Each structure stands twice: as C-alpha cells, then as structure tokens.
Amino acid sequence: MLYAVLCYNDESVTSAWSKEEDDKVMRDLTAVQRKYVEAGKLGPVARLLPTTAATTLRHAAGETIVIDGPFAETKEQLLGFYLIDCGSLDEALDFARELSAANPSAGSYEIRPLSLFKPGELPS
C-alpha cells in the first residue's frame, strides 16, 4: 500500500532556523530516508517553498479566480511530503515516528493511504 506522509509545522518556526539548524535537520531526515530508499520503499520526497510563494486557483459560483498565497489561514502549514510503500499503516506510522524523532521541532505528520490514478487508464 502506498502512503502519503504529509509534514505540517508552523512555517514561522522553520523559516527562523539558521542555515546550520536547517542543514542538521535535513541531514537527520536524510539518515531516516536512506534506510527506506535502500529497502526500495521510499518514493518521491518534496520540500515545499513557503506559503508566500503559493498561488491558489479557486472556482466558486461559476467563476475562477487566482489569488496569491495559500487559501487556508492555519497555525500549521504543509511543508512537504513523502510517498512510501508500506505493508501496513503501522509501518507507515513507524516511518513518521522516525521522521519526528529526526526533526524535534516537527509539528505533525498526517499519514494517508493513496489511490493511484494513471492518466490514460480507465478505472475498472
């Protein structure tokens, strides 16, 4: 089963890190990732730019509008995600626990099973 592990945190915390703090967290996260890469379980990983770089396209009442910035005003922002192939939810939770231990300031990790959509292939 494929899982998305979504990483949330208060981006004002992570953007305040020094280069050295950021480099350390990234090294520690890479150490966690390496084990899953070597096992052939880790797919794409993405670190998102700050929400100030976001653009939102919204469709409402028959109109489409484009606005700068994120749509939601929240205390935590989606900062990145992992795609991981696990035999169970427990295994995906173990991965998220390891990420959390490697990043002590992490806000939360949301784990969601994925349903793949392959363009050009019709669902059966």
Side-chain angles (χ1 to χ4, degrees), residues 12-69:
S12 67
V13 171
T14 58
S15 64
W17 288 345
S18 67
K19 179 172 178 0
E20 292 76 21
E21 290 169 312
D22 187 71
D23 288 348
K24 180 186 182 324
V25 169
M26 295 311 292
R27 273 193 311 274
D28 292 346
L29 291 172
T30 299
V32 172
Q33 296 165 22
R34 187 171 297 118
K35 175 171 79 172
Y36 291 87
V37 167
E38 290 169 359
K41 293 180 173 274
L42 188 62
V45 174
R47 185 177 191 186
L48 301 176
L49 292 177
T51 55
T52 55
T55 301
T56 301
L57 185 136
R58 183 160 188 198
H59 187 83
E63 291 189 43
T64 301
I65 59 171
V66 176
I67 56 174
D68 290 335

Side-chain angles (χ1 to χ4, degrees), residues 4-9 29 45-46 48 76-82 95 99 103 106-110:
V5 179
L6 308 173
C7 310
Y8 292 90
N9 202 345
L29 291 172
V45 174
L48 301 176
E76 292 183 330
Q77 293 76 39
L78 176 63
L79 300 183
F81 62 87
Y82 298 83
F95 175 67
L99 293 173
N103 183 359
S108 59
Y109 292 91
E110 179 180 343

